[in-house]
Amino acid sequence: MKGYRLWLAGMAASILLVPLAAVADGDKSFSANLESGAAALTSTDDIKKVNEYSSLRTKNGVNPYGKVDLSVHQRGIVFDGDFRYLDSRDQDHSASLDLMRVFKTDFSYSVLNHWLDHDRMQYLDAAIPAAPSAFSGAATPITLSNSAGLTQTVNLFTSNSTTNTLNPNFVPAFLVKNKVTGATYVTNTAPLVGYGNAAYSFQQIGRASVYGEDLTPSAVFGVKRTEWSSKSDLTIPQLPNVTFHFGYRNEDRNGLKQSIGMSKCTSCHVTGQSKVINENTRDISAGATGRFGLLTIDYTYLNRQFRENAPPPTRYYDPALSPGAAAPATYNTGGYAFFDNRLLYDYRDGLLRYDETPDSKKESHVVKAKVDLPGAASLMGSYVRATVDSGKTGEAGIFSFNGSNGVTLHTTYDAYGGRLTSTFGKDLTVTLRGRSERISNDDVTIAFSTIANATGTQPPNNFVPDPNSLLATRYSALSRDTITAGLDAVYRVALRTTLRLGYEYQMLDRHDGQLGTTTSHKVSAGLMTRPGSTVSARAAIDYQVIDNPYQNVNAALTNFTTNTLGSTVGNGATYGVSLYDQRTANLTNQPDKVVNGKLSATWTPSARYAITGMYTLKAEENQLNKSSWSQTTHGPGLSFWYAPTNVVSMTVSYNYLNQKSGTAYCQGWYDG
C-alpha cells in the first residue's frame, strides 16, 4: 500500500495547488488532467513469459489505477507533475519546479517488478551413469593385469543392443573398444590404477556423474526495484555564466533470485536454492557548468555506495574424492586420494557461503570542455577519473588475499577523449575523434588453506598438502590500455540525400601477457535518402577485422595419438597432467571478422498510414589455430502503422529471425 499512499499524496498536492492558481494575480496558468480506470491481467502457465517486466499488474487480477498530469505557471514559478499508479510494484511519479530560472529541480519516484527465471535443472539428470543392472545381454569378461602380475576381471556388455545404446537416459561409465576386431562395449567397472589389457582401450564418459537438485521447487523468483532521484540546477544572478548542479539517487532492489551452486570431485552435484536480495545503491553528485564566451567547461563529481544487506546463501559440499578412488567407510577418518591439484574444502567444513555480492564504493571525476572555433568548427575534450573499491574478503580457513592496500580490491579508470568537428562549405562535415583509456586492477596474492591429509595410504604420485605452502598470484584480466581513433564524414550528395563514411581503429593491450593485444579496424558506410515526398530509405554497412580477439589459450583438444596416456582415460593419479595439461586448441566466443548490414524503406502515401520494410544481416567468423566457427544472422521484418483518427493509432509488425552457426567442435559427454 505504500505506492497507493504516494499516489494519493500526489492527488492531495494537486488539490492544494488549485487555490494558488485561482487567487493569484497577474500572469497565471493552471491545467490538470485526471484519468482513472481499471487494469486487469490474466495469464496461465509462467507469468514471466508474457509479463517479465510488469506493465499493468504483477499478478493475475483486477485493480483500479489512476493518472494525474498537473501544470501550474505563475509569475515565473513553474510546477509540472505526472503521477501514475497501477499497483504497488508498478508506479511512476515525477515532478519539476522552476523558480524564476534561478533554481530548477526534478524529482522522480518509480517502482518496477522483474520476474526472474526458475531453473528446475531436470535436464542435468541425463548424465547420471546407468547402474550395472541396467545392462542387457550376456557379459563378456576380460582380464586386466599390472606389472606385478596381479589381475582384475572386468565384465563388458555389447553397446549395440536396444538398451545399451547411448542416449540421455543411458550413460555408462566407460566405453571399451577391442583394438583388434573393432568391437565396442560398455561397462561401469573402473580399471584399477596400473591395470590394463593391450587389446582393449577404455574411454571414461560417465563415472563422474552430473545431476541437478532444485532445493526450492515452489519458490517464485523476482526483484522489485524502487528508485528515488532528484536533479537540481542553481544559477546565482550575480554569476550568470555559472550553473551549479546537484544530484541524488537511491535505488533499492528487494526480492528473491535463484542461486546455483555446484559440488565437484567427483560428482558434479548442481543445486539451486533461494537467495535473498536486499541491495541498496546511493549516488550523490555535484558539479558546475561555466560558459565563458567561446569556451564551455563542465565538471561532475559522483560518489556511489553499494550495499548488500542480505546474508549470502550457504551450502554443504559433497565429500571429495579423486578419480579412481573408492569412498572410505567414514569420510572423516582419512583414506582420501588427492588430486594433482589441491582441495580447499568439502562437507567437513560445514555450511559455506557462496554466490556473495560484495559491497563497493565508487568515486568519479568528469571534466568536459568545448571550444567553438571559427568557420563552424568545434573542439571538445574530456577527462574521466574513477576509482572502485570492492569489499570482497576471503573466507577463514579456506583462502585469504592481499590487495594493493592490504584489504580491499582496488580498480582505477583514467580516460582522455577529444573530438574535432569542422564543416567545409554547406555539404561536408568531418569529425576526427580519439580516446585513450587505462584500467588498473589489482594483481592479488591468494593464500589457500588446503585440506590436510589425516591418515590412510596414498596412491602413487600423490602428496600430502601443506596448508602453509600454497600461494598463487591472480593476475588481473581487467587491467588494460585501450586506444581508439576514428574519422567520420557526412556529405550531402544531393537534395534530401546524405552519405556517411567512417573508419575506426582500436588497440586493446591487456597487461597480463598471456592474454595478448587485440587490434581492430572497422570501416562503415551509410546512405539516407528521400527521393519523393512519400518514400524514404536508409542503408548502412560496416566491416570489421579483429586481430587476436580475447581467447582461452590451450583450452581444448588433447592429442590422444601422441600422448602417453595409459590404458584408461580419466582414471588415475595424473589425470590433470596427462589430459588437461596437454590441450592444444584455442577457444573464444569472439569473432575476428564481422559484417553488419541494415536496410529499411518507408512508404507514407497518406498522413493516416505508413508501411516500413527492414532487413538486417550479421555475418561473423573466426579462424582459430585448430578449428573455425561462423555465425550468420538474417532478420527481415515488416511494419504497418495506421491512425484512423487524430487520437487513435495502431501498429502491426512482423519480424523473422534466422541464425545459423557452424563449428568444427562437438561436445562430448560431460565427464566431471
Side-chain angles (χ1 to χ4, degrees):
M1 294 298 294
K2 180 180 180 181
Y4 188 67
R5 289 196 299 270
L6 287 171
W7 177 62
L8 291 179
M11 291 285 292
S14 67
I15 295 173
L16 290 174
L17 287 171
V18 172
L20 296 178
V23 301
D25 297 327
D27 180 22
K28 59 184 179 181
S29 174
F30 170 77
S31 64
N33 180 57
L34 282 74
E35 177 182 337
S36 63
L41 175 68
T42 179
S43 64
T44 58
D45 192 19
D46 194 345
I47 191 173
K48 66 177 175 291
K49 293 181 179 179
V50 294
N51 201 37
E52 178 182 355
Y53 292 94
S54 303
S55 57
L56 291 175
R57 283 178 52 86
T58 54
K59 57 185 178 181
N60 291 338
V62 180
N63 65 268
Y65 81 89
K67 293 177 63 177
V68 177
D69 298 327
L70 181 67
S71 179
V72 179
H73 297 200
Q74 179 180 297
R75 293 184 178 181
I77 300 176
V78 180
F79 174 84
D80 293 297
D82 297 289
F83 310 94
R84 180 187 66 85
Y85 177 88
L86 282 167
D87 73 7
S88 61
R89 290 172 175 254
D90 187 1
Q91 51 183 306
D92 190 3
H93 313 287
S94 63
S96 64
L97 179 66
D98 186 337
L99 300 178
M100 306 293 184
R101 297 186 179 181
V102 174
F103 179 73
K104 299 179 181 179
T105 184
D106 296 314
F107 298 92
S108 67
Y109 172 78
S110 62
V111 183
L112 178 66
N113 189 78
H114 181 199
W115 294 117
L116 302 177
D117 284 333
H118 189 157
D119 189 345
R120 306 296 179 176
M121 296 181 293
Q122 295 168 333
Y123 51 87
L124 293 174
D125 294 344
I128 296 178
S133 59
F135 296 117
S136 67
T140 301
I142 64 171
T143 301
L144 309 180
S145 61
N146 65 4
S147 58
L150 301 177
T151 62
Q152 177 191 7
T153 299
V154 175
N155 289 322
L156 308 181
F157 298 84
T158 57
S159 62
N160 55 2
S161 65
T162 302
T163 57
N164 290 345
T165 301
L166 288 175
N167 62 67
N169 297 315
F170 183 86
V171 185
F174 292 88
L175 288 178
V176 185
K177 182 176 182 179
N178 188 312
K179 299 178 183 179
V180 178
T181 65
T184 58
Y185 303 90
V186 292
T187 184
N188 279 349
T189 304
L192 298 174
V193 176
Y195 286 70
N197 186 314
Y200 293 88
S201 64
F202 283 69
Q203 172 64 60
Q204 178 185 344
I205 63 170
R207 193 188 72 79
S209 61
V210 183
Y211 64 102
E213 189 175 8
D214 186 2
L215 302 178
T216 54
S218 61
V220 178
F221 298 116
V223 174
K224 181 179 77 170
R225 175 184 175 272
T226 304
E227 182 185 75
W228 287 92
S229 67
S230 68
K231 295 181 180 179
S232 302
D233 295 334
L234 175 64
T235 304
I236 301 175
Q238 290 76 13
L239 295 173
N241 295 335
V242 179
T243 300
F244 298 94
H245 311 293
F246 307 93
Y248 176 80
R249 186 178 76 93
N250 189 85
E251 178 186 358
D252 289 304
R253 298 177 72 249
N254 297 276
L256 288 177
K257 65 169 287 188
Q258 188 176 33
S259 181
I260 305 295
M262 183 177 74
S263 274
K264 193 170 181 287
C265 312
T266 57
S267 290
C268 295
H269 180 194
V270 184
T271 60
Q273 62 177 316
S274 297
K275 176 183 178 180
V276 178
I277 302 296
N278 185 9
E279 298 175 348
N280 174 260
T281 303
R282 188 210 64 192
D283 292 351
I284 297 176
S285 61
T289 301
R291 301 170 182 84
F292 310 99
L294 301 178
L295 174 64
T296 301
I297 300 178
D298 180 84
Y299 167 76
T300 302
Y301 167 78
L302 171 69
N303 181 291
R304 172 173 295 169
Q305 301 277 352
F306 171 82
R307 295 289 182 266
E308 171 56 87
N309 299 311
T314 58
R315 64 167 295 162
Y316 286 100
Y317 286 84
D318 294 350
L321 298 169
S322 73
T330 55
Y331 289 109
N332 58 1
T333 59
Y336 282 87
F338 283 92
F339 291 97
D340 59 347
N341 59 321
R342 301 178 182 182
L343 297 173
L344 299 178
Y345 50 82
D346 70 356
Y347 84 105
R348 294 175 296 173
D349 291 283
L351 285 171
L352 297 177
R353 68 180 193 261
Y354 75 106
D355 194 8
E356 186 173 10
T357 305
D359 296 344
S360 63
K361 177 183 178 181
K362 174 183 177 180
E363 288 186 321
S364 67
H365 304 266
V366 180
V367 181
K368 299 178 182 178
K370 179 184 178 182
V371 180
D372 295 318
L373 302 175
S378 64
L379 176 64
M380 296 184 64
S382 64
Y383 171 68
V384 179
R385 168 74 174 185
T387 61
V388 178
D389 288 291
S390 170
K392 174 70 175 177
T393 60
E395 192 156 3
I398 297 177
F399 76 98
S400 61
F401 63 85
N402 186 3
S404 62
N405 60 3
V407 181
T408 61
L409 299 177
H410 185 72
T411 303
T412 61
Y413 173 79
D414 293 277
Y416 300 86
R419 185 175 67 186
L420 175 63
T421 301
S422 183
T423 300
F424 300 89
K426 297 181 179 180
D427 299 327
L428 178 62
T429 300
V430 178
T431 300
L432 179 64
R433 53 186 170 83
R435 189 173 184 86
S436 174
E437 303 167 272
R438 164 165 285 195
I439 299 176
S440 299
N441 179 240
D442 285 342
D443 292 333
V444 179
T445 299
I446 307 174
F448 295 102
S449 301
T450 57
I451 296 177
N453 184 50
T455 59
T457 303
Q458 294 297 307
N461 303 318
N462 277 313
F463 53 82
V464 177
D466 180 0
N468 299 316
S469 67
L470 188 53
L471 296 174
T473 300
R474 186 224 61 168
Y475 296 100
S476 171
L478 183 64
S479 297
R480 63 192 62 191
D481 294 316
T482 305
I483 295 177
T484 306
L487 180 65
D488 303 303
V490 179
Y491 180 65
R492 189 171 67 173
V493 179
L495 184 65
R496 295 183 295 188
T497 300
T498 302
L499 175 67
R500 295 178 178 270
L501 300 173
Y503 167 77
E504 181 179 278
Y505 166 81
Q506 185 177 82
M507 186 274 293
L508 194 158
D509 182 17
R510 301 177 185 87
H511 294 182
D512 187 348
Q514 298 184 42
L515 303 177
T517 300
T518 298
T519 59
S520 67
H521 303 266
K522 180 180 179 180
V523 293
S524 59
L527 183 68
M528 182 177 64
T529 182
R530 186 181 289 273
S533 60
T534 61
V535 178
S536 63
R538 297 172 179 264
I541 188 171
D542 60 69
Y543 175 67
Q544 186 176 17
V545 179
I546 307 166
D547 179 40
N548 188 32
Y550 187 86
Q551 59 185 326
N552 189 355
V553 179
N554 297 333
L557 198 61
T558 296
N559 191 331
F560 288 96
T561 304
T562 60
N563 70 22
T564 57
L565 295 173
S567 61
T568 63
V569 177
N571 186 45
T574 60
Y575 186 23
V577 175
S578 59
L579 181 66
Y580 290 129
D581 295 349
Q582 295 188 36
R583 294 173 293 185
T584 60
N586 300 338
L587 295 182
T588 182
N589 61 355
Q590 304 297 315
D592 61 6
K593 294 182 181 64
V594 182
V595 176
N596 263 310
K598 297 181 180 179
L599 178 66
S600 67
T602 301
W603 179 47
T604 314
S606 166
R608 293 293 186 187
Y609 67 90
I611 300 175
T612 300
M614 70 285 292
Y615 174 76
T616 60
L617 167 69
K618 187 173 185 178
E620 306 167 274
E621 66 175 36
N622 193 313
Q623 297 293 330
L624 295 162
N625 66 333
K626 297 290 184 178
S627 69
S628 63
W629 68 267
S630 62
Q631 181 170 277
T632 305
T633 305
H634 301 274
L638 187 66
S639 176
F640 175 72
W641 174 82
Y642 176 57
T645 69
N646 292 334
V647 296
V648 176
S649 65
M650 60 188 71
T651 301
V652 178
S653 62
Y654 171 78
N655 294 282
Y656 174 78
L657 176 68
N658 180 288
Q659 186 176 81
K660 182 178 180 181
S661 302
T663 179
Y665 282 111
C666 63
Q667 178 64 48
W669 298 105
Y670 184 56
D671 194 25

